[in-house]
Amino acid sequence: MNTLMDVLHHRPGWVEVKDEGEWDFYWCDVSWLRENFDHTYMDEHVRISHFRNHYELTRKNYMVKNLKRFRKQLEREAGKLEAAKCDFFPKTFEMPCEYHLFVEEFRKNPGITWIMKPVARSQGKGIFLFRRLKDIMDWKKDTRSSDDQKDDIPVESYVAQRYIENPYLIGGRKFDLRVYVLVMSYMPLRAWLYRDGFARFSNTRFTLNSIDDQYVHLTNVAVQKTSPDYHPKKGCKWMLQRFRQYLASKHGPEAVETLFSDMDNIFIRSLQSVQKVIISDKHCFELYGYDILIDQDLKPWLLEVNASPSLTASSQEDYELKTSLLEDTLHVVDMEARLTGREKRVGGFDLMWNDGPVSREDGAHDLSGMGNFVTNTHLGCVNDRKKQLRQLFRSLQGQKKTPN
Amino acid sequence: MLQEESDLALIIAQIVQKLKGSNLYTQLERQAWASLQRPEIKLESLKEDIKEFFKISGWEKKLQNAVYSELSVFPLPSHPAAPPEHLKEPLVYMRKAQGSWERRILKSLNSMCTELSIPLARKRPVGEQKELLNKWNEMGTDEPDLSLFRPVYAPKDFLEVLINLRNPNYENGDSHSFRTHLGLIQVPLKVKDIPELKEFFVELGLTAGQLGVDDSTQVPPELFENEHVRIGQKVLSEQDSAAAQQYIRQGSPTALRAELWALILNISSQPEDILYYEQLKTNVIQHDLLVDSLIYKDVKLTASNDDYYFVFEDYLYQVLLCFSRDTSVLGHFAYSSASPPKSYIRGKLGLEEYAVFYPPNGVIPFHGFSMYVAPLCFLYHEPSKLYQIFREMYVRFFFRLHSISSHPSGIVSLCLLFETLLQTYLPQLFYHLREIGAQPLRISFKWMVRAFSGYLATDQLLLLWDRILGYNSLEILAVLAAAVFAFRAVNLMEVTSLAAAEAVLADLSTLKVMPLLQIFLFATVT
């Protein structure tokens, strides 16, 4: 089910360019970008779906570095309390260069579980959990010996991250959330948050006993698909609306508001931390897939940011979510130049940050009372995008007909 | 006047009788004794003082709730001399039909048993018991070979039985005449028409606020929602069952629903209740029943495949396996037209002293049974509480959906109500569907038998079940079924086969229940 092709083909007035023809819009691979971006001339109106150095946000080791630096800066400028708002990333150390720092932290917290992740791979490949230093010493030896044979292959970077041992469970299962954030520019920072998303469930019940059972801990659908328990009919996902309702009926609306506003905080701060580093080319935009894990205290943690979130649909519902997501992305990118640029909502996207916080239209008060600004975000809320788009485009047409 | 008084006296006597055997009575007694220590209790005015104490400490409220609960559940005796069968089901032909249906089910179960040479019950060896205990929280990971098991019956089998129900006192003849019904149900039961339904469901009217309508994003919460939530919190703090039941007619706020339902069903998790559940769990561990495999199969076929309920698979086993061993459920057979199936210890067939109810709770699960439990997992996470709520929902409501009776909330009445509503208010549609061989009941039956579980989106389903509790009646299921047909009438008029009609009505997951009901009941020109 190729959502991207379907959406692009169905868009009125859009034609697919073959071979070496000139293009106005390119939804490209990151590999194409790496090879071609620097020597491709683009007219002003041309749009491309990645930022040149997006890896500052999406590669785990770079993201950690950027976040740590941003946090220090915040502490200097605004104090410890403000800096603490950046503590949504589990303690992470780059390997092998921060190995000694890691060992120090490891010794301070005996008995906890750590997770080792390759920085560049996705879909859960190469990940494992460990509790003893011995486990990674063995692994170090293994990787070292294989490298001796092939010197021209660079040593793959890993990060060691503190494993969240008390994840929030539903039905005894662990899950993580996939949320979509669209960044139209970094300087100034303009970011949109999509209302829909989903919770991905692990197929097996959560227990800390079986560290070796990688199927329990990794909730990506890609890994789950290889588990012997996996039944494709199960489609182990919940739409975010369902997840939000479930939490509300269990913990009450205030707790849910707090959780979701903490998540807003994650999106904004993570983007701010790479704002100055990412080359903000006006041709570029990027649709990120954020992976969030909730723990039992209802605190959200950032697991990672994906520059190329999967657009393959695993079910009919998934297909509709992803096609709507892509359609609305194209509406925001606005190749057709229909928008005024002052919109706060386009379809399922709400403008979350526009070089500063964006307030909600109805001026809702801050329920949590914690001084988090009430952003114009509606994650997991009703997404009546078709109706909104109709009204939006109708009023835009009206404005065009009667120029001031 | 005298008749009413003696009726009332009879009712009071019955309720007192019932409550005397309950835990509440013991607690009240204990509280009364303990209160003698209190300074405000004086010997001269002992009775009044203790009553006053009960009022202040909330015990009177608990007693009120218990009485209200009894009134809601038990039918009022029609006549002091009426035999117990009349309490179960006053009409003889209905009783007979239910009896023969039960015999069929039991026969089917026994033959499956013989075919597969599996005993109806067996004690588990110690090793197996230990294993099951370890796996208690993740029974879903078990993949026993269930291929040889078949569900004992499916809703459509039951529908065929209902279609063939006839009242022997009502001579229709085999030929169609003005007096035969155009629908599938051919028994003359009294069902409400729209004016009567409007009166019955008056709180759903257009002038009253509703959750499910007036809490949508366009409506500012100050208009209705905020005040409604505030009232809900007050009702909960007062712990008044009757008030909660009245309140919930306009829907329950998400955050308050779990507590409100528990209050209406008069469920409080006492240590005895938790112990009782643990005892049931022990029974499951020690003995294996044939129905367990049926339950496993049902869960795997239905709830596990559902996009939303799959997460709660383990809870479903924990509830349903215990449910089938719960002999307290046998109590509901006093007012149900059904009777628990009997089985005999091996070799003692026919000897009453060796008869046991099988399964111990007398309820043989059918295909889709687990869907009664699945939506409750959304609200209750503690197994014993979840269990209590489900059990109470079953003995108050769900049992009526799969037994043959003349009760207004029984499935037969619901079917007839549905068909009558459709026929009366959408005659063109009804006639068209009938002509193309797509009798509407054939499509809506499965919705009603499952109380729409698995067909509606969960939040909509919970809003619907709010009203079932609020009105203490299942009639709303038939009204909703008719409203769905009315909503899709335009598309249905264009279909030319049963399969096409099924396709139009295959996906109800986007429907908003309350607006549909309001339009059908209050905004349609009658």
Side-chain angles (χ1 to χ4, degrees):
Chain A
M1 297 213 247
N2 196 333
T3 52
L4 183 61
M5 293 311 269
D6 288 349
V7 168
L8 288 170
H9 280 142
H10 278 104
R11 205 162 172 83
W14 284 49
V15 176
E16 186 176 357
V17 168
K18 307 281 187 208
D19 302 324
E20 297 302 316
E22 269 190 44
W23 44 269
D24 307 297
F25 178 91
Y26 192 2
W27 194 284
C28 62
D29 276 338
V30 292
S31 46
W32 181 94
L33 191 83
R34 203 173 32 243
E35 284 163 33
N36 297 293
F37 187 90
D38 294 331
H39 37 263
T40 306
Y41 173 71
M42 290 186 276
D43 279 335
E44 176 149 348
H45 71 281
V46 169
R47 293 286 178 267
I48 191 163
S49 66
H50 284 292
F51 284 93
R52 176 66 185 88
N53 57 343
H54 58 80
Y55 45 78
E56 294 285 350
L57 181 63
T58 58
R59 269 180 68 128
K60 302 169 187 59
N61 52 345
Y62 289 147
M63 205 259 278
V64 168
K65 249 201 305 248
N66 287 317
L67 196 60
K68 276 183 186 166
R69 195 194 55 241
F70 180 64
R71 190 190 191 289
K72 278 209 189 84
Q73 181 193 335
L74 264 189
E75 196 168 13
R76 271 198 314 270
E77 291 173 9
K80 277 198 161 33
L81 220 60
E82 195 63 20
K85 290 198 184 141
C86 291
D87 292 336
F88 46 76
F89 201 64
K91 262 217 150 57
T92 306
F93 299 95
E94 214 178 315
M95 304 292 232
C97 49
E98 291 185 316
Y99 181 70
H100 297 287
L101 285 169
F102 161 70
V103 171
E104 216 186 294
E105 183 71 26
F106 183 89
R107 295 226 160 92
K108 271 195 248 170
N109 299 283
I112 66 169
T113 315
W114 292 80
I115 183 167
M116 192 74 88
K117 300 189 199 180
V119 296
R121 287 195 264 172
S122 63
Q123 306 199 322
K125 302 193 199 106
I127 296 185
F128 66 94
L129 300 168
F130 62 95
R131 277 201 196 120
R132 308 169 301 177
L133 274 181
K134 182 179 172 305
D135 296 331
I136 44 170
M137 305 240 221
D138 293 339
W139 162 79
K140 244 171 90 177
K141 271 195 229 119
D142 289 340
T143 48
R144 199 55 65 81
S145 56
S146 62
D147 282 341
D148 288 338
Q149 298 161 346
K150 308 163 193 171
D151 280 302
D152 47 337
I153 295 176
V155 177
E156 187 172 19
S157 262
Y158 275 73
V159 290
Q161 191 177 71
R162 185 156 177 176
Y163 185 67
I164 295 167
E165 284 172 325
N166 62 338
Y168 193 89
L169 302 176
I170 295 183
R173 294 176 208 227
K174 185 173 160 173
F175 63 93
D176 70 2
L177 303 179
R178 163 51 61 92
V179 182
Y180 296 100
V181 175
L182 172 63
V183 175
M184 292 305 294
S185 79
Y186 274 96
M187 282 299 201
L189 182 58
R190 269 177 73 92
W192 300 73
L193 181 65
Y194 202 66
R195 295 190 177 197
D196 291 339
F198 44 87
R200 297 176 293 206
F201 285 90
S202 158
N203 217 21
T204 48
R205 282 73 183 152
F206 179 77
T207 161
L208 282 174
N209 297 337
S210 50
I211 305 194
D212 289 326
D213 187 3
Q214 69 158 328
Y215 304 115
V216 178
H217 300 279
L218 300 163
T219 51
N220 303 48
V221 177
V223 175
Q224 291 298 319
K225 276 191 173 143
T226 60
S227 155
D229 273 345
Y230 184 76
H231 296 293
K233 272 195 280 192
K234 277 190 193 166
C236 35
K237 288 183 187 175
W238 267 16
M239 296 292 280
L240 272 185
Q241 283 78 6
R242 181 57 38 91
F243 170 71
R244 194 168 176 149
Q245 275 163 12
Y246 177 88
L247 280 191
S249 67
K250 198 169 173 198
H251 301 279
E254 288 84 21
V256 172
E257 276 287 336
T258 310
L259 169 65
F260 277 77
S261 105
D262 286 345
M263 288 202 276
D264 286 343
N265 177 63
I266 291 182
F267 307 136
I268 294 168
R269 302 258 178 227
S270 58
L271 292 173
Q272 283 177 328
S273 71
V274 296
Q275 193 177 4
K276 302 212 175 96
V277 184
I278 292 202
I279 303 162
S280 190
D281 189 321
K282 64 171 185 282
H283 302 102
C284 303
F285 69 91
E286 208 154 19
L287 179 67
Y288 296 111
Y290 271 74
D291 291 339
I292 307 273
L293 182 73
I294 318 279
D295 73 15
Q296 274 172 14
D297 304 315
L298 285 189
K299 179 185 155 82
W301 294 87
L302 176 61
L303 292 178
E304 74 172 329
V305 185
N306 284 288
S308 311
S310 160
L311 296 172
T312 349
S314 58
S315 69
Q316 183 58 32
E317 191 178 53
D318 202 39
Y319 180 82
E320 277 164 30
L321 183 152
K322 287 176 175 156
T323 47
S324 302
L325 173 70
L326 289 168
E327 271 171 31
D328 290 342
T329 305
L330 294 178
H331 289 322
V332 174
V333 170
D334 198 28
M335 302 288 298
E336 298 91 343
R338 290 183 287 187
L339 303 179
T340 62
R342 286 188 304 274
E343 287 81 9
K344 283 210 236 182
R345 180 182 171 192
V346 176
F349 274 113
D350 293 298
L351 184 60
M352 170 168 64
W353 190 268
N354 187 10
D355 201 20
V358 179
S359 63
R360 234 181 240 185
E361 237 134 48
D362 54 17
H365 6 271
D366 176 15
L367 272 179
S368 67
M370 275 187 358
N372 276 342
F373 31 71
V374 185
T375 47
N376 177 37
T377 52
H378 300 82
L379 187 60
C381 295
V382 166
N383 185 7
D384 53 346
R385 55 180 288 273
K386 287 206 174 118
K387 184 166 163 202
Q388 197 270 349
L389 287 170
R390 253 200 322 269
Q391 288 171 340
L392 175 67
F393 288 125
R394 206 177 295 146
S395 78
L396 284 172
Q397 255 188 335
Q399 281 177 29
K400 281 223 165 86
K401 284 195 181 128
T402 56
N404 315 39
Chain B
M1 217 34 205
L2 269 174
Q3 184 60 36
E4 274 176 42
E5 276 175 21
S6 66
D7 278 347
L8 192 59
L10 187 64
I11 295 167
I12 294 176
Q14 283 193 329
I15 294 181
V16 167
Q17 176 89 337
K18 264 225 97 204
L19 288 179
K20 264 206 168 132
S22 77
N23 189 36
L24 182 63
Y25 181 77
T26 326
Q27 285 179 317
L28 283 172
E29 232 185 358
R30 208 180 297 145
Q31 286 293 319
W33 277 107
S35 76
L36 294 177
Q37 312 264 348
R38 303 176 78 87
E40 60 265 23
I41 311 287
K42 310 235 178 349
L43 195 56
E44 314 83 70
S45 48
L46 191 65
K47 202 170 175 186
E48 277 64 41
D49 287 347
I50 293 187
K51 272 201 214 169
E52 188 60 32
F53 166 68
F54 275 169
K55 200 180 271 186
I56 300 174
S57 57
W59 282 99
E60 189 192 44
K61 209 21 105 48
K62 292 202 176 108
L63 180 59
Q64 240 173 17
N65 289 346
V67 172
Y68 191 72
S69 178
E70 292 299 324
L71 282 174
S72 305
V73 176
F74 267 73
L76 305 174
S78 43
H79 190 278
E85 303 95 73
H86 282 215
L87 211 60
K88 289 163 73 74
E89 170 53 54
L91 299 178
V92 175
Y93 76 90
M94 289 274 186
R95 287 208 298 267
K96 284 208 175 121
Q98 172 66 18
S100 72
W101 169 238
E102 277 166 14
R103 280 190 294 279
R104 257 179 72 183
I105 302 177
L106 193 57
K107 201 157 160 224
S108 168
L109 188 66
N110 280 331
S111 65
M112 193 190 327
C113 198
T114 327
E115 237 177 74
L116 303 174
S117 343
I118 296 178
L120 285 176
R122 71 175 174 100
K123 194 168 168 81
R124 281 189 228 268
V126 174
E128 197 184 313
Q129 287 187 31
K130 258 203 205 125
E131 210 189 304
L132 186 57
L133 191 58
N134 283 339
K135 261 203 321 229
W136 183 255
N137 289 321
E138 32 175 66
M139 281 185 274
T141 49
D142 234 354
E143 298 277 333
D145 181 14
L146 300 169
S147 50
L148 298 171
F149 290 97
R150 318 173 292 277
V152 180
Y153 66 95
K156 58 178 163 46
D157 304 316
F158 188 50
L159 178 59
E160 291 305 318
V161 174
L162 299 186
I163 291 173
N164 291 316
L165 266 182
R166 294 287 183 276
N167 179 354
N169 294 335
Y170 190 76
E171 185 50 61
N172 265 343
D174 282 322
S175 58
H176 285 290
S177 74
F178 263 121
R179 272 180 267 132
T180 52
H181 297 247
L182 288 177
L184 294 173
I185 303 293
Q186 297 293 326
V187 288
L189 293 173
K190 170 120 182 52
V191 292
K192 296 186 170 82
D193 56 12
I194 286 202
E196 286 169 320
L197 288 169
K198 271 169 134 152
E199 228 186 279
F200 186 65
F201 290 118
V202 66
E203 291 86 353
L204 300 183
L206 299 172
T207 50
Q210 292 299 325
L211 285 184
V213 176
D214 301 295
D215 54 338
S216 69
T217 43
Q218 293 90 336
V219 181
E222 301 82 58
L223 229 55
F224 168 70
E225 202 182 344
N226 287 348
E227 182 62 16
H228 192 64
V229 172
R230 205 188 56 78
I231 298 178
Q233 285 160 336
K234 188 149 192 289
V235 166
L236 278 176
S237 64
E238 295 287 310
Q239 283 290 295
D240 188 328
S241 276
Q245 192 167 328
Q246 180 64 34
Y247 168 79
I248 211 175
R249 290 179 181 188
Q250 289 171 280
S252 165
T254 320
L256 306 178
R257 184 174 277 126
E259 283 179 66
L260 276 171
W261 284 24
L263 179 56
I264 295 171
L265 297 169
N266 204 28
I267 302 255
S268 56
S269 264
Q270 304 289 331
E272 305 85 60
D273 302 312
I274 301 177
L275 241 115
Y276 189 77
Y277 176 74
E278 290 297 317
Q279 182 62 43
L280 291 173
K281 180 176 161 184
T282 316
N283 291 350
V284 176
I285 305 278
Q286 286 177 346
H287 289 90
D288 180 23
L289 299 179
L290 176 63
V291 288
D292 290 352
S293 305
L294 297 177
I295 290 170
Y296 264 106
K297 182 128 194 172
D298 186 46
V299 173
K300 290 278 181 212
L301 284 179
T302 56
S304 301
N305 275 330
D306 186 284
D307 284 336
Y308 287 100
Y309 298 129
F310 71 89
V311 170
F312 303 120
E313 193 185 339
D314 296 323
Y315 292 148
L316 296 178
Y317 298 121
Q318 293 175 14
V319 167
L320 290 167
L321 292 178
C322 290
F323 180 66
S324 53
R325 285 149 177 85
D326 192 346
T327 49
S328 73
V329 174
L330 294 172
H332 92 282
F333 288 110
Y335 52 86
S336 164
S337 61
S339 301
K342 263 199 265 211
S343 183
Y344 297 88
I345 308 280
R346 192 176 294 209
K348 309 274 192 227
L349 190 65
L351 298 174
E352 278 312 309
E353 317 85 271
Y354 294 97
V356 289
F357 293 128
Y358 186 86
N361 71 343
V363 180
I364 298 182
F366 56 89
H367 178 65
F369 193 84
S370 56
M371 293 306 279
Y372 289 142
V373 190
L376 302 173
C377 297
F378 224 72
L379 301 173
Y380 302 100
H381 314 100
E382 210 265 285
S384 70
K385 186 105 187 253
L386 173 62
Y387 177 75
Q388 280 185 281
I389 297 277
F390 166 67
R391 180 180 59 186
E392 192 62 27
M393 290 286 282
Y394 182 82
V395 301
R396 277 202 201 198
F397 303 111
F398 298 144
F399 76 94
R400 298 202 192 277
L401 295 172
H402 59 90
S403 48
I404 305 175
S405 84
S406 61
H407 194 272
S409 275
I411 189 73
V412 185
S413 302
L414 296 184
C415 289
L416 190 57
L417 175 58
F418 164 74
E419 290 191 314
T420 314
L421 284 174
L422 216 57
Q423 204 176 326
T424 316
Y425 300 103
L426 292 156
Q428 217 183 358
L429 175 65
F430 190 90
Y431 188 74
H432 168 73
L433 289 173
R434 199 169 161 270
E435 284 298 288
I436 61 170
Q439 277 276 9
L441 185 59
R442 288 204 186 277
I443 304 175
S444 64
F445 186 71
K446 54 187 184 291
W447 303 338
M448 293 191 285
V449 166
R450 284 223 206 141
F452 282 89
S453 171
Y455 298 105
L456 294 174
T458 311
D459 61 316
Q460 294 301 309
L461 184 77
L462 293 173
L463 287 168
L464 178 67
W465 286 17
D466 281 344
R467 272 70 179 195
I468 292 180
L469 285 167
Y471 290 98
N472 201 26
S473 150
L474 292 163
E475 285 156 302
I476 202 156
L477 297 176
V479 180
L480 180 61
V484 171
F485 272 74
F487 185 64
R488 298 253 167 104
V490 174
N491 291 1
L492 286 170
M493 283 305 288
E494 294 178 17
V495 300
T496 51
S497 69
L498 174 60
E502 295 259 18
V504 169
L505 294 166
D507 183 11
L508 306 184
S509 58
T510 51
L511 294 183
K512 299 273 178 271
V513 160
M514 296 319 298
L516 275 183
L517 285 168
Q518 280 193 322
I519 293 173
F520 187 76
L521 284 176
F522 298 99
T524 313
V525 174
T526 49

